[in-house]
Amino acid sequence: MREFGGLQSYPSRAKDPDPVDYSTGSVGIGATAPIWGAIARRYVDNAFGTGGTGRQYSLVGDAELDEGAVWEAVLDPAVSQLGEVVWIVDLNRQSLDRVVPNIAADKLQRMFDAAGWQVIVVKYGQAMEQLFARPGGCAVRRRIDEMANPEYQRLLRCNASELRHRLPGAGPDAGAIARVTAEVDDATLVQAIANLGGHDLSALDRALSTIDDSRPTVVFAYTVKGYGLATHGHPQNHSSLLTDDQVRELAVRLGADPDDPWRQFPDGSVEAELCRNTAKRLARSPIPVRSAPSLPSDIGRTPAGMATTQLR
Ligand SMILES: Cc1ncc(C[n+]2csc(CCOP(=O)(O)OP(=O)(O)O)c2C)c(N)n1
Ligand SMILES: [Mg+2]
């Protein structure tokens, strides 16, 4: 896909088919680059009055928060003044090749809060909330809230009967939880367990509408890595490819044709209209490719002898 000019592994202003606002790379860069963008915009606005307006969004991985550059930025007093900065943390409990045993989301949230950021948490989606709203459902919520990451992650790979076996656990609420899981049908149970807030567009929409632009904002959006794919939630699913059979199964589920994967929505359909309007909204003027300035290979000052500040 990359070689054919498709989406790159990292957003790239030079290589992506559609213009992107920031080229990123290693973890940490995408979090902090828009902060520099916000500072630069303010400078341009102060100096020339042409900086424009608008938010600076970053999508940040939860394991990306391990990067030192992230915390240098969060602690910087100037950053707490940048109300246009919004980070959305994709909280999938997974890093490159493992389920992070203790992501301590509440500790992270307190650290942002202490640095003057607005903290918004989007934890559960509607299907999960409906499960919690059933009689006895608060016991299910408590159990999931208190569960360690690896145990929750294991539930994502279970069918309904395995869920009914594992979910009650061994605590005092086991009976109540078993009763709730007995009352819902298989498909509802399996779907509800993986229904985290980051996959619920209306929950995300509500969260984004509460952003207060007077200070930077971080949205902790709980998700499942590889949501909707056969590999979802699997600890080794980073960059993993689907088998041909899995692609066919996915295509059937999406109403797509695996032999014609690039087929567009029919002209005039609601979907085609939505795509067209979105493309229009996101369009950017093309970025001119400039040739690199030539650099001298010799600056005429060949060092001779040795000089050091470290020796007497
Ligand atoms: C500076 C740096 N260190 C290490 C890596 C290797 N690396 C690639 S992805 C990744 C973890 C990604 O986890 P997360 O940010 O949670 O994103 P997810 O894959 O869960 O979406 C790491 C450590 C990197 N790309 N950059
Ligand atoms: Mg992650």
Side-chain angles (χ1 to χ4, degrees):
M1 294 282 280
R2 293 172 199 163
E3 281 174 22
F4 284 123
L7 287 182
Q8 300 298 304
S9 50
Y10 304 115
S12 165
R13 284 173 72 91
K15 295 191 224 156
D16 261 308
D18 297 316
V20 300
D21 293 325
Y22 291 97
S23 294
T24 69
S26 298
V27 295
I29 294 179
T32 47
I35 289 180
W36 294 110
I39 293 170
R41 184 198 69 78
R42 285 175 180 229
Y43 171 76
V44 171
D45 217 33
N46 283 342
F48 311 106
T50 55
T53 56
R55 290 195 184 138
Q56 300 272 348
Y57 289 98
S58 296
L59 254 185
V60 183
D62 48 357
E64 187 168 11
L65 295 181
D66 290 343
E67 270 306 310
V70 162
W71 296 104
E72 282 178 35
V74 170
L75 289 182
D76 191 296
V79 170
S80 64
Q81 312 291 315
L82 301 175
E84 64 267 57
V85 168
V86 178
W87 287 6
I88 300 167
V89 177
D90 178 6
L91 206 153
N92 59 19
R93 298 157 305 282
Q94 286 187 243
S95 181
L96 193 57
D97 54 5
R98 63 175 192 149
V99 175
V100 182
N102 187 3
I103 205 93
D106 51 342
K107 183 173 86 183
L108 292 170
Q109 288 153 19
R110 288 199 303 276
M111 285 161 73
F112 278 97
D113 180 63
W117 288 51
Q118 180 186 17
V119 178
I120 299 174
V121 180
V122 189
K123 192 162 185 183
Y124 298 122
Q126 211 179 7
M128 189 92 107
E129 292 286 358
Q130 278 165 2
L131 192 69
F132 297 156
R134 300 180 73 94
C138 36
V140 182
R141 180 194 289 265
R142 224 174 8 251
R143 166 94 169 106
I144 292 180
D145 272 343
E146 289 169 4
M147 186 178 282
N149 286 335
E151 186 177 9
Y152 174 73
Q153 204 68 23
R154 183 65 187 85
L155 297 183
L156 297 173
R157 310 277 312 156
C158 288
N159 62 27
S161 70
E162 290 165 338
L163 280 177
R164 292 196 178 91
H165 174 66
R166 284 175 180 263
L167 193 57
D173 286 338
I177 298 169
R179 277 192 294 283
V180 176
T181 60
E183 282 166 9
V184 288
D185 65 76
D186 289 6
T188 308
L189 184 60
V190 170
Q191 197 232 337
I193 291 304
N195 180 244
L196 295 177
H199 299 294
D200 184 326
L201 290 185
S202 55
L204 278 177
D205 230 13
R206 274 198 303 280
L208 295 183
S209 70
T210 62
I211 291 176
D212 147 18
D213 286 311
S214 68
R215 56 202 164 132
T217 299
V218 58
V219 179
F220 282 84
Y222 283 67
T223 59
V224 176
K225 185 159 167 170
Y227 189 73
L229 302 180
T231 53
H232 84 152
H234 192 286
Q236 298 294 333
N237 65 1
H238 196 87
S239 291
S240 70
L241 298 178
L242 299 184
T243 63
D244 285 352
D245 285 347
Q246 289 170 336
V247 169
R248 285 184 186 278
E249 180 271 328
L250 177 67
V252 169
R253 199 150 31 91
L254 297 178
D257 177 357
D259 297 319
D260 183 12
W262 310 117
R263 193 182 61 204
Q264 305 206 328
F265 292 109
D267 260 354
S269 64
V270 178
E271 294 87 348
E273 197 54 15
L274 180 67
C275 292
R276 209 175 58 82
N277 288 337
T278 306
K280 211 155 90 189
R281 182 162 50 81
L282 296 179
R284 302 281 191 277
S285 14
I287 302 156
V289 180
R290 297 197 177 87
S291 49
S294 63
L295 294 174
S297 57
D298 185 347
I299 54 172
R301 289 178 67 90
T302 305
M306 189 178 81
T308 171
T309 59
Q310 303 301 309
L311 299 171
R312 280 166 200 250

